[in-house]
Amino acid sequence: MINDNIQKLPEEDEAPLTMQSEVEQKVTEQQFDAQSLPTEGERTKVDVSSSVDASTTVAASKDEERSTRFTLLKAIAIICVVMSHAGIRGWLFDFVFIFHVPIFFMCAGYFFHTKYLTDERTFVLHRFKGLYWPFLRWSVFFLVIHNLLFPLGLLSEQYGNAGGGVLHPYTWHEWSQHLWSIVFNMSGYNEFFCGTFWFFRALLIASLLFLLLFKVFSRSEHFVSHKQVGWGILGTALVLTFWKVTTGLTMTGVMQGGYRELMGLMFMAAGFLIRQYKLMKLVTWQVAVPCALLLIVASFAFPSSMVWNGTLYDFLALPIPAIAAFIALAWACGLIDRYILWARRALLYIGDRTLYIFAFHLVAFKVVSALKIAFYGLPWEAVGGHPTVLQPQSNVLWVLLYTIVGVALPILWLEGYRRVASHVTITEKQAVGLLVVSGQRLCHYTVLTGRFIVMACVAACRNIWQSIKDIIEASSPEDE
């Protein structure tokens, strides 16, 4: 799947091993609330135990709290996301699509904070700040420049995605409808540059559903521990998804019907249960290797992914291999964390910046597409192909180049922005205020200029009319 309706995707990050002050811990906790949406500077946190089930929500050990394995895990996942859009084919395509999206949902469930059961407002605000706000500002940005991208050749009415779909410049009505869809429905974004943005919506809805169901089950006398609540949420998600795929139901008001949101809820519950049972402390190579083998077998025998229009086959084929991949890769990341220091440093750097890679890797691809059309002598409009120049198909070298640039260029842009921002004393809030004031003054002067022009035109019209009257009177037959 290449665009939002064809593309399977999305991402998050964790933090380095550092001792944090109380203020830093609070900030980190807020950042991690996006759970699996890549934000910068996340730290592995401990769940705050509730009085209902203190024994099951006490965080793992200090070593696990400070472990950076999940930062490494999300770095690997985001690299797989970029690679999956870079033109890979065959078995590798099926292999990465099994786990690269579910990993982020499972991380969200793994680091769910039970303290939010009594602080729902903070939870909801953090979710909207970490998911809805980035979605909104970036979607609106690409909407504003949408029609400008066609003269530049970055979008084309001739070259599109693998399914033959192309985009067109928007009329005012179409532009307005897309804006409303972005704001009110988290849809309507640019299908080519923002085709992966469905993940923002899916994780937001899954997170809110997870909290709602957690509170509902916690009040039932049949669920006396958080483990039982986790199983209740998992079972509910499975039943609802099965109901949907077997009857063709859609989640009213949710773009694409809600299959991804329900599967995301299921994977969040799975991640939460993995944390509750402290499985990561029990995983050894005897467990990780069979999980990896199961993943490989699944990629050959019954590949699946979080497609938007999942079928019963997708529903049955995906969960177990994806969970097995999470366990196997998390164990492997533990080895990298301890023994392969050069890879650890690189992956930590990527893992702390996955949000920007996720959001802008499709834009970064255009740089490689420009090189590819120059190499093959293709027309410039071919750059508009999504997500890469589709013909000729990319070989291994082009796939690697797309992947490297897709990961590196957003990071370079971010670092460049930070270096410039470090020399600028104005804050983002002040900049917004300055823009607002500038806009008000611009409107004021525009109105004044308009009034002056209108008054000048009226005066000119009066003078012309008076001149015409004078001419008519001067040439009157009666006077002659």
Side-chain angles (χ1 to χ4, degrees):
M1 304 209 324
I2 296 185
N3 59 28
D4 189 44
N5 294 332
I6 303 175
Q7 197 168 2
K8 337 170 187 175
L9 182 85
E11 46 205 87
E12 182 123 279
D13 63 73
E14 192 76 18
L17 291 168
T18 56
M19 294 297 292
Q20 296 173 302
S21 67
E22 183 179 351
V23 175
E24 288 173 325
Q25 289 177 348
K26 184 175 181 180
V27 172
T28 299
E29 179 182 290
Q30 293 174 351
Q31 290 174 331
F32 218 162
D33 284 335
Q35 304 299 352
S36 174
L37 180 68
T39 56
E40 194 165 345
E42 290 177 358
R43 302 294 187 274
T44 323
K45 300 293 293 179
V46 167
D47 290 347
V48 177
S49 304
S50 71
S51 58
V52 177
D53 187 20
S55 62
T56 58
T57 56
V58 172
S61 63
K62 289 185 178 180
D63 289 339
E64 185 175 359
E65 289 174 19
R66 297 179 182 177
S67 172
T68 53
R69 72 165 68 189
F70 291 99
T71 308
L72 303 176
L73 178 62
K74 285 178 278 188
I76 291 174
I78 194 60
I79 291 173
C80 289
V81 166
V82 176
M83 186 168 58
S84 68
H85 300 148
I88 58 174
R89 300 183 298 275
W91 169 79
L92 184 59
F93 180 89
D94 296 330
F95 178 78
V96 299
F97 269 107
I98 288 177
F99 62 85
H100 68 353
V101 176
I103 278 178
F104 297 106
F105 286 98
M106 282 186 274
C107 285
Y110 189 90
F111 291 103
F112 175 77
H113 297 283
T114 55
K115 69 177 181 181
Y116 288 124
L117 296 175
T118 56
D119 191 12
E120 303 90 344
R121 181 178 180 276
T122 300
F123 179 87
V124 173
L125 288 177
H126 288 173
R127 284 296 182 274
F128 273 86
K129 182 179 179 181
L131 295 169
Y132 179 76
W133 174 239
F135 168 87
L136 178 65
R137 61 180 181 177
W138 290 334
S139 296
V140 171
F141 169 75
F142 283 108
L143 177 63
V144 169
I145 67 172
H146 176 84
N147 285 6
L148 300 177
L149 297 175
F150 288 90
L152 297 176
L154 300 180
L155 289 178
S156 171
E157 296 185 85
Q158 179 180 357
Y159 295 90
N161 58 34
V166 296
L167 298 181
H168 304 281
Y170 294 148
T171 63
W172 171 248
H173 179 269
E174 291 172 334
W175 192 94
S176 301
Q177 183 59 64
H178 279 273
L179 178 62
W180 279 45
S181 297
I182 289 170
V183 174
F184 298 113
N185 193 241
M186 295 188 74
S187 60
Y189 40 81
N190 187 301
E191 293 89 342
F192 284 4
F193 282 96
C194 308
T196 61
F197 280 23
W198 64 264
F199 179 77
F200 288 98
R201 180 186 65 245
L203 184 55
L204 177 61
I205 293 176
S207 298
L208 298 179
L209 284 175
F210 189 88
L211 177 66
L212 176 63
L213 291 174
F214 208 114
K215 290 184 67 67
V216 170
F217 285 126
S218 295
R219 295 178 180 178
S220 173
E221 60 182 12
H222 301 292
F223 297 89
V224 298
S225 70
H226 287 159
K227 292 178 182 177
Q228 291 178 348
V229 171
W231 283 111
I233 298 174
L234 179 64
T236 301
L238 290 173
V239 169
L240 291 176
T241 310
F242 179 80
W243 191 359
K244 171 180 169 45
V245 298
T246 54
T247 59
L249 298 174
T250 60
M251 192 181 293
T252 305
V254 177
M255 182 65 178
Q256 300 179 338
Y259 175 78
R260 284 166 163 166
E261 287 74 10
L262 291 175
M263 290 296 288
L265 176 64
M266 185 273 297
F267 282 122
M268 283 189 66
F272 180 79
L273 288 171
I274 290 174
R275 178 67 175 270
Q276 293 301 302
Y277 284 98
K278 302 179 181 179
L279 295 184
M280 297 315 302
K281 298 175 68 175
L282 305 176
V283 173
T284 62
W285 71 267
Q286 291 93 335
V287 177
V289 170
C291 286
L293 292 176
L294 175 60
L295 171 62
I296 295 173
V297 170
S299 65
F300 280 106
F302 41 92
S304 182
S305 66
M306 286 184 66
V307 290
W308 69 274
N309 56 347
T311 62
L312 180 60
Y313 165 82
D314 296 306
F315 167 68
L316 296 176
L318 182 61
I320 294 178
I323 294 172
F326 178 85
I327 294 173
L329 289 173
W331 177 81
C333 288
L335 295 181
I336 296 174
D337 192 22
R338 291 191 296 271
Y339 302 115
I340 311 178
L341 298 182
W342 64 269
R344 177 183 182 275
R345 287 192 295 269
L347 291 175
L348 284 178
Y349 191 82
I350 294 172
D352 280 333
R353 295 156 179 83
T354 46
L355 174 60
Y356 308 96
I357 298 171
F358 160 71
F360 299 113
H361 70 275
L362 293 177
V363 179
F365 279 180
K366 298 303 180 183
V367 175
V368 183
S369 293
L371 295 176
K372 187 174 180 180
I373 67 169
F375 183 82
Y376 289 106
L378 302 174
W380 174 252
E381 291 76 11
V383 172
H386 176 74
T388 64
V389 176
L390 302 178
Q391 296 296 333
Q393 291 184 340
S394 297
N395 55 31
V396 174
L397 294 179
W398 285 114
V399 169
L400 287 175
L401 188 57
Y402 271 114
T403 303
I404 293 171
V405 173
V407 172
L409 195 57
I411 293 177
L412 291 175
W413 174 267
L414 174 64
E415 295 301 326
Y417 170 80
R418 286 178 174 171
R419 287 180 180 272
V420 173
S422 65
H423 299 287
V424 178
T425 57
I426 188 172
T427 65
E428 184 174 330
K429 184 177 181 179
Q430 291 172 330
V432 173
L434 182 61
L435 287 175
V436 171
V437 173
S438 300
Q440 291 174 340
R441 291 182 178 178
L442 178 62
C443 292
H444 176 70
Y445 290 125
T446 301
V447 171
L448 291 178
T449 303
R451 290 177 61 183
F452 174 78
I453 293 174
V454 170
M455 293 174 63
C457 291
V458 171
C461 291
R462 287 177 178 175
N463 291 332
I464 293 173
W465 176 245
Q466 186 62 41
S467 299
I468 293 174
K469 289 176 64 177
D470 292 342
I471 293 173
I472 293 175
E473 291 176 356
S475 61
S476 174
E478 296 179 357
D479 292 340
E480 294 178 359

